[in-house]
């Protein structure tokens, strides 16, 4: 059995949307200082007609300003006394008309606040329910939009605009729920895969992955199980950056599989295009150890054999390998150790 109008309205009064009080307009003080010929309702009616003329030609900004001036006049009267039977409907109309302008201009919050102000004056205003529903839907306040549609349709179940809005609200609700379920599924999948990777690392005696305080943007690269990320029997693959410290250059290997050797990748990476001197025909490669030292990496040794020593740590999902010309490697290693020693001395 459907809800009565009074029941729907009672529920709406619990919603922040319909509990909102009118906001002051910046032009209030200036307009209140002006004197107009005629009564407030006559002047408000004149502003309404001017606004309507602008609205007909899609001059929504100008129309909104005219409606606002009429609102200010009657809102000022409302603060002093109870509006009469001519003024109250006029103020209500000005609010719903300004709401139409704000909706067209995509000022959605202003739109549903104007609708709330109109409904405060007349809770049976179908245009206010419709425009509020459209504005709320535009900002994905689906529950409030549902309530606005329900309240309007409780008054007029056959109202075509409200029925159309209700269909759109229901469709958006379904879409958001589907997206939420998809996100939940993705989060669960990522957690499951992260657990499988952690188990695989532990089984291979590889230290757990570590994340630094300020991880760099890895463009989505991460340690993974291949070819099937959901099968613990798959091989581990590590994103790897080859660092050339003497030239401040680098190369990225997206998936260095644990069974690969370094030579498998150096074969297509070297010589680098910037090596004009031909120094990188013979190279020495190093990885930094967990205690800050260096470990020379055999070019034909499978990656897993290196990682299983437990001495190398994968930080920020990336294995880092230093590549040096063989003839300059000893000098760079000595400089690296000296810098580490200096840093250690400062920290102590």
């Amino acid at each position: 059995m459907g809800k009565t109008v009074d029941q729907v309205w009672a529920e709406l009064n619990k919603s922040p949307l319909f509990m909102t009080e009118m906001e002051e307009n910046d032009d209030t003080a200036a307009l209140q200082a002006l004197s107009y010929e005629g009564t407030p309702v006559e002047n408000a009616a004149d502003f309404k007609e001017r606004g309507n003329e602008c609205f007909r030609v899609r001059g929504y900004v100008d129309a909104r300003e005219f409606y606002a001036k009429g609102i200010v006049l009657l809102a000022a009267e409302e603060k002093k006394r109870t509006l009469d039977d001519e003024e109250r409907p006029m103020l209500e109309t000005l609010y719903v008309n300004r709401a139409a302008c704000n909706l067209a201009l995509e000022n959605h919050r202003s739109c549903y606040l104007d609708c709330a102000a109109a409904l405060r004056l007349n809770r049976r205003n179908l245009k206010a329910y419709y425009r509020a529903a459209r504005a709320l839907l535009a900002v994905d306040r689906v529950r409030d939009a549902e309530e606005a549609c329900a309240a309007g349709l409780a008054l007029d179940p056959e109202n075509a605009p409200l029925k159309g809005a209700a269909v759109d609200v229901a469709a958006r609700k379904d879409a958001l729920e589907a997206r939420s379920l998809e996100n939940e599924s993705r989060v669960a999948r990522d957690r499951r895969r992260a657990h499988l990777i952690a188990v695989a690392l532990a089984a291979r005696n590889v230290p757990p992955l570590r994340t630094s305080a300020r991880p760099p943007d890895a463009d989505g690269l991460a340690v993974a199980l291949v070819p099937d990320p959901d099968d613990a029997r798959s091989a581990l693959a590590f994103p790897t950056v080859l660092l050339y410290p003497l030239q401040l250059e680098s190369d990225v290997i997206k998936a260095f599989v644990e069974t690969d050797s370094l030579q498998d990748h150096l074969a297509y990476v070297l010589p680098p295009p910037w090596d004009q001197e031909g120094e990188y025909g013979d190279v020495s490669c190093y990885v930094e150890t967990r205690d800050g030292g260096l470990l020379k990496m055999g070019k034909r040794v499978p990656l897993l054999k290196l990682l299983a020593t437990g001495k190398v740590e994968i930080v920020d999902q990336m294995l880092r390998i230093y590549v040096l010309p063989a003839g300059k490697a000893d000098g760079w290693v000595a400089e690296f150790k000296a810098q580490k020693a200096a840093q250690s001395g400062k920290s102590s």
Side-chain angles (χ1 to χ4, degrees):
M1 181 177 178
K3 297 179 182 178
T4 66
V5 174
D6 289 337
Q7 288 173 327
V8 173
W9 182 252
E11 290 185 3
L12 285 175
N13 277 332
K14 300 175 184 177
S15 169
L17 166 65
F18 298 102
M19 293 169 63
T20 305
E21 295 182 357
M22 290 187 297
E23 297 182 344
E24 291 292 334
N25 187 289
D26 292 339
D27 296 330
T28 301
L31 283 169
Q32 287 176 341
L34 297 176
S35 60
Y36 296 95
E37 294 182 0
T39 65
V41 72
E42 289 172 342
N43 291 321
D46 181 58
F47 283 129
K48 179 175 78 74
E49 290 308 314
R50 294 186 190 183
N52 289 349
E53 291 173 6
C54 294
F55 192 90
R56 291 188 193 100
V57 294
R58 300 187 178 183
Y60 302 124
V61 173
D62 291 336
R64 181 182 59 184
E65 293 306 309
F66 282 121
Y67 295 141
K69 290 177 180 179
I71 288 170
V72 168
L73 286 175
L74 293 180
E77 292 299 314
E78 188 181 27
K79 289 182 179 180
K80 295 184 289 186
R81 58 180 173 80
T82 301
L83 297 181
D84 63 30
D85 292 342
E86 187 179 6
E87 294 167 328
R88 190 178 180 89
M90 178 60 66
L91 181 56
E92 173 194 344
T93 299
L94 287 165
Y95 275 125
V96 292
N97 286 5
R98 189 170 69 173
C101 295
N102 282 319
L103 185 61
L105 294 169
E106 298 184 1
N107 297 326
H108 300 117
R109 182 174 183 274
S110 295
C111 176
Y112 60 68
L113 288 177
D114 278 342
C115 292
L119 291 168
R120 177 182 58 83
L121 296 166
N122 176 15
R123 68 184 193 181
R124 303 183 69 84
N125 192 306
L126 297 179
K127 289 182 179 179
Y129 287 120
Y130 170 75
R131 290 167 188 167
R134 285 296 181 189
L136 291 163
L137 177 60
V139 294
D140 278 342
R141 288 180 56 173
V142 174
R143 184 174 180 179
D144 288 333
E146 274 187 316
E147 291 177 352
C149 288
L153 290 171
L155 295 167
D156 182 3
E158 299 305 317
N159 185 277
L162 277 168
K163 288 172 71 175
V167 169
D168 291 343
V169 170
R172 183 58 178 164
K173 181 180 180 181
D174 290 343
L176 290 175
E177 288 177 350
R179 181 190 297 176
S180 177
L181 289 173
E182 183 180 342
N183 288 339
E184 290 175 5
S185 176
R186 177 180 52 78
V187 169
R189 180 202 65 198
D190 290 346
R191 286 177 179 169
R192 182 179 66 253
R193 290 179 177 177
H195 174 70
L196 287 175
I197 289 171
V199 171
L201 290 170
R204 292 159 172 78
N205 197 39
V206 179
L209 303 178
R210 181 169 67 84
T211 302
S212 64
R214 300 179 66 180
D217 182 8
D219 196 25
L221 295 178
V223 177
L225 288 165
V226 294
D228 185 352
D230 296 307
D231 188 346
R233 296 169 296 180
S234 293
L236 282 168
F238 300 85
T240 302
V241 59
L242 302 180
L243 300 168
Y244 307 94
L246 298 184
Q247 278 72 31
L248 301 180
E249 297 281 355
S250 64
D251 284 311
V252 173
I253 301 170
K254 292 185 177 181
F256 195 145
V257 180
E258 60 183 332
T259 54
D260 294 346
S261 69
L262 181 56
Q263 184 59 40
D264 292 332
H265 296 283
L266 293 180
Y268 64 82
V269 171
L270 299 180
W274 42 261
D275 181 23
Q276 301 300 319
E277 304 298 326
E279 294 184 306
Y280 286 81
D282 183 19
V283 296
S284 295
C285 301
Y286 300 85
V287 290
E288 192 169 354
T289 60
R290 299 174 70 185
D291 58 7
L294 288 173
L295 184 64
K296 190 170 184 178
M297 187 173 181
K299 292 194 282 291
R300 298 190 181 280
V301 175
L303 177 61
L304 179 57
K305 187 172 182 179
L306 171 75
L307 296 179
T309 63
K311 296 180 180 180
V312 180
E313 190 174 44
I314 307 296
V315 181
D316 297 329
Q317 301 285 329
M318 189 77 69
L319 174 65
R320 291 163 176 80
I321 301 174
Y322 296 101
V323 182
L324 288 304
K328 296 182 178 180
D330 290 345
W332 179 83
V333 169
E335 184 179 348
F336 179 93
K337 291 180 177 179
Q339 289 178 349
K340 286 290 184 179
Q343 292 173 0
S344 177
K346 289 180 181 179
S347 62
S348 61

